């Protein structure tokens, strides 16, 4: 009777421990799969290009808006033919319009990155993980710019013009050519 109860007790413990192990394995599997990126490199480069396009478009729009706002606010000012800051008033006021457009252009990427984050909420975490991976690869593979010259310029130091795997491979070849040229000519 005692051996029969022990057998039943051991089966219950084994069943419970196997369920615990199974749920633990599933939990670990799910948590580790969430931390690993599901975003392929092609999708990453597509999103990177989309981010840069949105930032550029937002910069152009905010630059034009800043220039327009400055122009409207300056057009309400009455001025006579006296010099402003020792310069002709038309030159000073037009430089203010250009300055307003420049400030607007600099504000554009902040608005563009917000729009990009809003439009790609689902893939944003994976995108930032891939972006960190990409930037660490660029940091390791890029060349030392101290040996650059007019005949041997540094190839895209920050990897800003890389939008595909083909571009990345070409960038690596350019970096190797730069290293080779800098060794041969120095």
């Amino acid at each position: 009777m005692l051996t029969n109860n022990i057998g039943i007790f051991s089966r219950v413990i084994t069943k419970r421990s196997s369920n615990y192990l199974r749920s633990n394995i599933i939990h670990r599997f799910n948590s580790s799969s969430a931390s690993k990126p599901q975003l392929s490199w092609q999708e990453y480069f597509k999103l990177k290009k989309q981010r840069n396009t949105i930032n550029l478009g937002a910069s152009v729009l905010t630059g034009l808006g800043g220039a327009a706002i400055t122009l409207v606010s300056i057009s309400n000012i009455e001025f006579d033919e006296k010099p402003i800051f020792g310069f002709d008033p038309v030159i000073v006021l037009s430089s203010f319009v250009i300055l307003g457009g420049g400030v607007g252009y600099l504000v554009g990427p902040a608005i563009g990155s917000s729009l990009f984050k809003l439009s790609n909420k689902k893939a944003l975490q994976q995108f930032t993980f891939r972006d960190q991976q990409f930037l660490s690869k660029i940091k390791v593979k890029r060349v030392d710019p101290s040996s650059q010259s007019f005949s041997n310029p540094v190839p895209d130091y920050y990897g800003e013009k890389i939008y595909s795997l083909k571009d990345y491979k070409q960038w690596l070849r350019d970096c190797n050519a730069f290293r080779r040229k800098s060794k041969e000519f120095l």
Side-chain angles (χ1 to χ4, degrees), residues 6-34:
I6 293 174
I8 292 171
F9 184 67
S10 66
R11 276 187 253 148
V12 169
I13 290 176
T14 309
K15 188 174 183 180
R16 284 185 182 169
S17 63
S18 67
N19 286 342
Y20 174 74
L21 287 173
R22 209 176 293 140
S23 67
N24 233 1
I25 290 170
I26 289 171
H27 176 69
R28 274 196 227 142
F29 177 73
N30 288 339
S31 65
S32 66
S33 67

Side-chain angles (χ1 to χ4, degrees), residues 61-81:
L61 291 176
T62 55
L64 292 173
I69 289 171
T70 308
L71 183 64
V72 167
S73 63
I74 286 178
S75 66
N76 293 331
I77 297 174
E78 290 184 26
F79 62 94
D80 49 358
E81 297 298 321

